Amino acid sequence: QVQLVESGGGLVQAGGSLRLSCAASRSISVFSRMGWSRQAPGKQRELVARIIVGNTHYADSVKGRFTISRDNTENTVYLQMNSLKPEDTAVYSCNVRYNSVDYWGKGTQVTVSS
């Protein structure tokens, strides 16, 4: 079992920045993949960034603005979000894969005002 707790969401003006954190209940060095997804009201969940075996991947909609990173000593995965746009408004959730099982956090709300 893995518990994930996200934090760092909030209300920010367009053009601003936020850093999301995802704290894991165990060492993140054992996870084969880690990522951040988002879901806006009435829309499907979108994968925005992930790390697979040390390689990072981003959705086209966030490339150049978002950065995913990890801190193994803190067992935490981060999502740095810069140049935020109103269309980035969503609930952001982190997920990890461990022993072929996907685990998800409950999410944190990000709201970007115009």
Side-chain angles (χ1 to χ4, degrees), residues 25-100:
S25 60
R26 62 169 301 145
S27 172
I28 65 173
S29 62
V30 300
F31 300 147
S32 58
R33 59 179 65 183
M34 298 170 287
W36 286 92
S37 299
R38 66 186 180 187
Q39 187 165 22
K43 294 188 176 181
Q44 288 189 332
R45 179 183 288 169
E46 175 190 22
L47 176 66
V48 297
R50 62 181 176 179
I51 299 175
I52 301 177
V53 198
N55 296 311
T56 57
H57 307 268
Y58 298 94
D60 288 342
S61 57
V62 306
K63 274 182 184 176
R65 300 188 299 122
F66 289 12
T67 303
I68 187 171
S69 62
R70 61 193 292 175
D71 185 335
N72 287 357
T73 63
E74 297 290 333
N75 292 332
T76 300
V77 181
Y78 299 100
L79 185 68
Q80 177 68 42
M81 306 186 296
N82 299 327
S83 302
L84 283 162
K85 306 175 181 179
E87 51 264 43
D88 294 319
T89 295
V91 175
Y92 286 71
S93 303
C94 70
N95 78 283
V96 302
R97 177 165 294 181
Y98 175 57
N99 287 342
S100 301

Side-chain angles (χ1 to χ4, degrees), residues 4-17:
L4 303 170
V5 179
E6 300 96 336
S7 61
L11 174 64
V12 64
Q13 288 189 331
S17 298

